[in-house]
Amino acid sequence: MSRHVVCAADELPPGSRRTAFVDGREIALFNVDGRLHALLNRCPHGGARICSGIVTGIAQSSGPGDYRLERHGEFLRCPWHGWEFELATGQSWCDPRTTRLRNYEVRREAGGNLVKGPYVAERYPVVVENDYIVIDI
Amino acid sequence: MNAPFREQQARQTLAVVDCDIHPAHRTPGELLPYLEPRWREHYQTYGVHVRQALSSTLMYPRMMAAGMRSDALPANGPAGSDLEMLRKQHLDPVNVEFGLLMALSKGGMEERNPEFAAAMSRATNDWQIDRWVREEPRLRAGIVVPQEFPEAAVAEIERCAADRRYVQIMLSSRPSDPLGHPRYWPIYAAAERAGLPIGLHPVGYNGGHPSTGSGWPTYYLQEHYVFVACMEALAASFILGGVFERFPGLKVVLVEGGFAWAPALAWRMDKHFDKFRKEVPHLKQLPSDYLRQHIWWTTQPIEEPEQARHLVEIIDWIGWDRLLYSSDYPHWDYDNPSFSFKFPMTEAQRRKIFRDNAMALYRLS
Ligand code: FES
């Protein structure tokens, strides 16, 4: 596992998303109300780049006549066929048994902790006083 | 610091023919310059008159933004209206050699005013060439016709057919009568003369009928599924109505209606054929023979059985030379060629489905 600095924290404010290439992979990053999520930017169903999917909740029902929209902001709906994935785990809501969207550890770290790391100095112009988004691959 | 947003990198190596791409109008008035002044005035004054209360609304959000891929919205205009985006998002990355346009919006297919229907069809056909095919040589047009007014439809086919940039005649799979009805036969005669296949595609409107034979669906899932029921009914109508007996050169492509039902329909029609033969003495072959000789199917949205081999068995029955790849770009149920088939294919099978079948059927080159 290796640690990668993706961007400065203020480049991914709450409510925003972006993509980044890390280790040859395209990663979609989401900041939903301060919670950070990093997912491989390719839907396991039909290959869509899920970065343009809709962040949503999940409609639940215990039977006809009872409908609730729950867990708002915890799911990503693929921009093509609409499969839903749990942002925090990558778990598919349609087919949890066999389908899963690859997800990665992502967190915010202070620049001061990063400058000594092997990946930072060569590849990114790091300004030490800021916070950075870091992902583990 | 951060890599810019990049379009899909992996390039299909095999060139594909995509049999279902939907072009859209950038603005509601986009057809106006293509209409004769009399009909321009009519359009601006009265608008279109289709078999639905509000002509420009859809009955559901249709899964994604008005039925579109949520990543296919250009800065100006609706999904499907931007040629540059079509190139970047689809034609280039999936290596489309030819893409067949299916112009659904506001052609003359569902317009009730006969002469206006004819004018809208002409405008739509000219617009397809002018805005799309001339600009992008990989694209080909389908002749939109006022299908409920066969005489005018024939005139439009004859106006366009000599131009090889039109490769088929488009009909809605939600017509007023089942398409085997003799009132549509002049259209088939014209298609046969022109050597063009008929492409049936569902449109949003329903020809005045509920979209199922038993009333309106309750859910969008139901509405989406009944594309299949329409296609089955129309295939049976073509076959049992004797259309292929009368027009032996006619070829029909069922677009976006699924295909896994085809063997079951054939078996069911054949089962009773001997007993009912006297009712349809105009048929000289088994219903399944007509099906196999005259009908082609596009792949999207493809059935996805849990066991992929079930689909392989069905294609073995239908024939690997009868299926044509389609994407339905930019609609939400878009299929990317690299992912749409969940089972391995031989190189020969791939070539047929993704390219060669369509190249031959539509005489593309
Ligand atoms: S490509 Fe994502 S749901 Fe089909």
Side-chain angles (χ1 to χ4, degrees):
Chain A
M1 194 180 279
S2 57
R3 210 157 66 122
H4 300 260
V5 176
V6 180
C7 61
D10 56 10
E11 289 178 60
L12 189 69
S16 73
R17 59 181 74 186
R18 62 184 303 148
T19 56
F21 281 90
V22 180
D23 236 15
R25 270 164 283 205
E26 195 180 18
I27 309 288
L29 294 149
F30 297 83
N31 183 336
V32 183
D33 301 330
R35 291 188 307 276
L36 301 177
H37 304 289
L39 300 159
L40 184 67
N41 194 19
R42 198 178 67 206
C43 178
H45 171 240
R49 302 168 78 243
I50 49 88
C51 58
S52 49
I54 293 163
V55 174
T56 180
I58 201 93
Q60 300 277 38
S61 169
S62 56
D66 165 40
Y67 305 102
R68 305 175 307 275
L69 190 63
E70 292 180 346
R71 303 179 60 189
H72 198 77
E74 293 183 34
F75 289 86
L76 177 68
R77 192 189 301 148
C78 174
W80 295 0
H81 315 105
W83 285 28
E84 282 148 337
F85 297 93
E86 199 173 359
L87 276 160
T89 61
Q91 200 73 58
S92 159
W93 208 248
C94 303
D95 180 15
R97 216 161 29 87
T98 54
T99 309
R100 193 188 157 86
L101 189 56
R102 181 88 195 269
N103 80 319
Y104 302 94
E105 276 302 313
V106 57
R107 66 192 172 276
R108 191 181 157 123
E109 281 192 15
N113 301 336
L114 294 172
V115 279
K116 297 185 204 87
Y119 304 96
V120 180
E122 321 156 20
R123 292 177 60 189
Y124 305 105
V126 171
V127 187
V128 196
E129 56 267 27
N130 290 340
D131 283 354
Y132 293 87
I133 305 291
V134 175
I135 128 170
D136 292 325
I137 284 208
Chain B
M1 171 173 274
N2 197 22
F5 190 81
R6 269 205 326 225
E7 281 306 322
Q8 187 181 333
Q9 295 288 296
R11 206 177 143 85
Q12 274 271 120
T13 43
L14 176 66
V16 305
V17 177
D18 179 357
C19 297
D20 191 16
I21 293 177
H22 298 293
H25 299 159
R26 261 179 309 213
T27 59
E30 185 150 325
L31 277 190
L32 289 175
Y34 300 92
L35 285 165
E36 302 92 322
R38 185 261 177 275
W39 293 116
R40 200 177 304 155
E41 151 83 19
H42 179 99
Y43 186 18
Q44 287 174 310
T45 311
Y46 302 101
V48 294
H49 191 181
V50 294
R51 293 167 170 85
Q52 175 170 310
L54 299 168
S55 66
S56 50
T57 59
L58 286 169
M59 278 177 286
Y60 315 87
R62 294 182 184 243
M63 191 69 188
M64 290 295 169
M68 300 298 161
R69 267 172 58 163
S70 64
D71 59 353
L73 197 66
N76 298 310
S81 65
D82 184 333
L83 177 56
E84 205 37 54
M85 188 172 219
L86 168 64
R87 287 184 181 124
K88 282 224 183 71
Q89 233 171 19
H90 182 57
L91 301 181
D92 296 341
V94 313
N95 198 12
V96 172
E97 185 173 352
F98 289 105
L100 274 49
L101 296 176
M102 286 280 181
L104 297 182
S105 57
K106 296 213 178 77
M109 285 189 291
E110 318 88 37
E111 171 59 44
R112 292 182 66 93
N113 175 326
E115 284 150 52
F116 185 44
M120 289 295 274
S121 298
R122 286 194 295 274
T124 301
N125 292 331
D126 291 344
W127 167 79
Q128 289 184 74
I129 297 294
D130 192 45
R131 254 281 327 270
W132 299 90
V133 183
R134 217 163 35 83
E135 301 284 318
E136 175 46 72
R138 284 173 286 187
L139 296 176
R140 292 288 179 274
I143 305 176
V144 171
V145 297
Q147 77 183 63
E148 301 306 336
F149 312 104
E151 211 176 297
V154 169
E156 185 58 10
I157 294 167
E158 285 169 353
R159 187 180 77 93
C160 299
D163 184 340
R164 291 294 300 140
R165 293 174 296 180
Y166 295 101
V167 296
Q168 67 185 326
I169 296 157
M170 274 183 65
L171 296 181
S172 158
S173 64
R174 290 171 165 178
S176 290
D177 281 310
L179 288 173
H181 194 287
R183 78 188 195 83
Y184 297 109
W185 288 11
I187 298 178
Y188 310 141
E192 209 182 31
R193 281 197 301 277
L196 294 176
I198 301 271
L200 299 189
H201 192 292
V203 293
Y205 311 109
N206 294 315
H209 309 296
S211 50
T212 81
S214 57
W216 295 100
T218 308
Y219 303 104
Y220 178 55
L221 171 58
Q222 238 174 322
E223 170 82 10
H224 194 261
Y225 149 74
V226 296
F227 288 1
V228 169
C230 284
M231 290 297 187
E232 273 192 284
L234 296 179
S237 175
F238 270 108
I239 291 168
L240 301 177
V243 171
F244 299 126
E245 199 50 59
R246 175 65 72 95
F247 306 104
L250 191 67
K251 296 170 177 178
V252 174
V253 188
L254 307 183
V255 185
E256 206 174 341
F259 58 85
W261 48 266
L265 175 69
W267 296 329
R268 191 156 273 271
M269 288 191 297
D270 284 1
K271 175 180 161 76
H272 290 306
F273 185 61
D274 284 338
K275 293 161 216 117
F276 288 102
R277 211 164 193 150
K278 288 197 292 294
E279 189 196 11
V280 283
H282 49 271
L283 299 187
K284 306 283 185 264
Q285 304 181 67
L286 280 174
S288 61
D289 292 333
Y290 295 106
L291 187 86
R292 287 165 180 275
Q293 288 160 27
H294 294 274
I295 293 185
W296 279 253
W297 289 265
T298 64
T299 55
Q300 177 284 337
I302 194 166
E303 287 86 359
E304 293 177 18
E306 220 169 292
Q307 306 269 346
R309 70 188 156 78
H310 293 160
L311 207 54
V312 177
E313 285 172 19
I314 288 169
I315 303 175
D316 282 342
W317 187 93
I318 292 176
W320 292 85
D321 52 352
R322 313 303 278 193
L323 286 190
L324 314 166
Y325 163 72
S326 61
S327 75
D328 202 21
Y329 182 93
H331 290 176
W332 71 266
D333 42 358
Y334 170 87
D335 277 351
N336 180 304
S338 309
F339 296 89
S340 48
F341 292 86
K342 311 283 184 205
F343 54 85
M345 273 188 241
T346 67
E347 197 43 42
Q349 290 166 338
R350 279 188 79 75
R351 293 196 71 85
K352 285 182 177 178
I353 290 183
F354 282 106
R355 180 179 179 278
D356 294 355
N357 294 343
M359 291 295 282
L361 178 67
Y362 293 107
R363 293 187 291 142
L364 297 165
S365 55

